[in-house]
Amino acid sequence: KKQLIVRLGRCFGKFEITSLLALTFLIPLSLYPQHPFALLTWGALPLAVPLIYSVIKNEDPHQLNPLFEKAAQLLWFFTLLLCLGLML
């Protein structure tokens, strides 16, 4: 088990997840000039905020396992909105 979170610690893992989710919602801003409807992806933001809060709040790694399902739902919804925004 030589993953980054194991090597660099729990605090780094929380920072990594939070920053990557934030970056996910900033990427459509770069698409805005060519595809203004790409900002539809921000409709998934209400799903991301509780997920980020849960990751930061939980200290027990076993309590994070149910969050994988929520992260997959967020990814699915974000992708759906991005595809819809690029098609319009």
Side-chain angles (χ1 to χ4, degrees):
K1 293 188 176 185
K2 301 291 183 183
Q3 299 154 342
L4 282 177
I5 294 176
V6 173
R7 288 182 182 188
L8 300 177
R10 186 175 293 163
C11 185
F12 171 78
K14 291 179 180 187
F15 171 76
E16 180 185 24
I17 291 170
T18 304
S19 60
L20 289 176
L21 276 174
L23 181 64
T24 301
F25 286 96
L26 292 177
I27 289 174
L29 286 176
S30 67
L31 299 173
Y32 178 72
Q34 293 85 16
H35 303 284
F37 288 106
L39 293 181
L40 283 175
T41 56
W42 285 19
L45 197 56
L47 295 174
V49 172
L51 182 65
I52 291 172
Y53 180 74
S54 297
V55 167
I56 292 172
K57 182 183 74 164
N58 287 329
E59 291 295 325
D60 184 23
H62 299 292
Q63 292 179 349
L64 296 176
N65 286 337
L67 298 180
F68 288 131
E69 180 182 354
K70 291 181 182 179
Q73 291 171 351
L74 172 65
L75 178 62
W76 182 85
F77 190 56
F78 182 89
T79 303
L80 179 72
L81 290 175
L82 181 62
C83 290
L84 183 64
L86 292 177
M87 287 176 25
L88 293 177

